[in-house]
Amino acid sequence: MKIVVIGGTGLIGSKTVASLRQSGHEVVAASPQSGINTITSEGLKEAMAGTQVVIDLANSPSFEDKAVLEFFETSGRNLLAAEAAANVRHHVALSIVAIDRTDNGYFRAKRN
Ligand SMILES: NC(=O)c1ccc[n+]([C@@H]2O[C@H](COP(=O)([O-])OP(=O)(O)OC[C@H]3O[C@@H](n4cnc5c(N)ncnc54)[C@H](OP(=O)(O)O)[C@@H]3O)[C@@H](O)[C@H]2O)c1
């Protein structure tokens, strides 16, 4: 199965990529480093071709309230549009324990 891990070079993404590859899947470790950027949409169309599952493990470079909200809104919008255009059937997003019970800018941005 072809799986794209957005943020595949990050703390959680790199472990996820290794584990999925060990299980025999074709995995794209997507990040700006590898030419796939959910903010600019660079490389998204090519990465989505033939993909069955996208796992979104991207994180904002800035945790400042406005910046993090803009990051998750723009990244999510671009990613979902690219997935829909390529008929990707499954989107997995990583949430945070108690995200709906703690009020801070980062958690608000993730919830949106
Ligand atoms: N760490 C935790 O304890 C924890 C707990 C619960 C949930 N989460 C969630 O899990 C996700 C990943 O967290 P993490 O700690 O693994 O983050 P991280 O180590 O900071 O990694 C972030 C990843 O996002 C990529 N990225 C940044 N901007 C991007 C863009 N424009 N397009 C595509 N990829 C982009 C980075 O790529 P580059 O390396 O190229 O910059 C990197 O691969 C976050 O959404 C976070 O909220 C984390």
Side-chain angles (χ1 to χ4, degrees):
M1 183 188 298
K2 182 178 173 189
I3 302 172
V4 173
V5 179
I6 303 291
T9 56
L11 181 72
I12 299 174
S14 56
K15 290 181 168 50
T16 305
V17 166
S19 171
L20 290 170
R21 282 186 179 147
Q22 209 165 23
S23 302
H25 296 293
E26 176 192 351
V27 183
V28 177
S31 77
Q33 277 183 62
S34 65
I36 301 167
N37 190 321
T38 55
I39 297 299
T40 62
S41 291
E42 179 195 1
L44 274 184
K45 188 177 174 197
E46 295 77 5
M48 292 303 143
T51 295
Q52 277 92 46
V53 180
V54 170
I55 303 176
D56 185 3
L57 298 173
N59 212 357
S60 173
S62 165
F63 285 16
E64 185 274 322
D65 283 7
K66 189 166 174 284
V68 75
L69 180 61
E70 270 178 24
F71 178 88
F72 283 122
E73 280 184 346
T74 306
S75 177
R77 192 168 46 240
N78 290 339
L79 189 51
L80 290 174
E83 290 172 14
N87 208 22
V88 175
R89 310 296 296 176
H90 301 281
H91 175 97
V92 179
L94 180 61
S95 187
I96 300 173
V97 173
I99 196 166
D100 53 344
R101 279 179 271 138
T102 310
D103 194 41
N104 67 52
Y106 184 86
F107 282 20
R108 274 197 300 278
K110 284 276 291 183
R111 284 199 301 268
N112 283 354

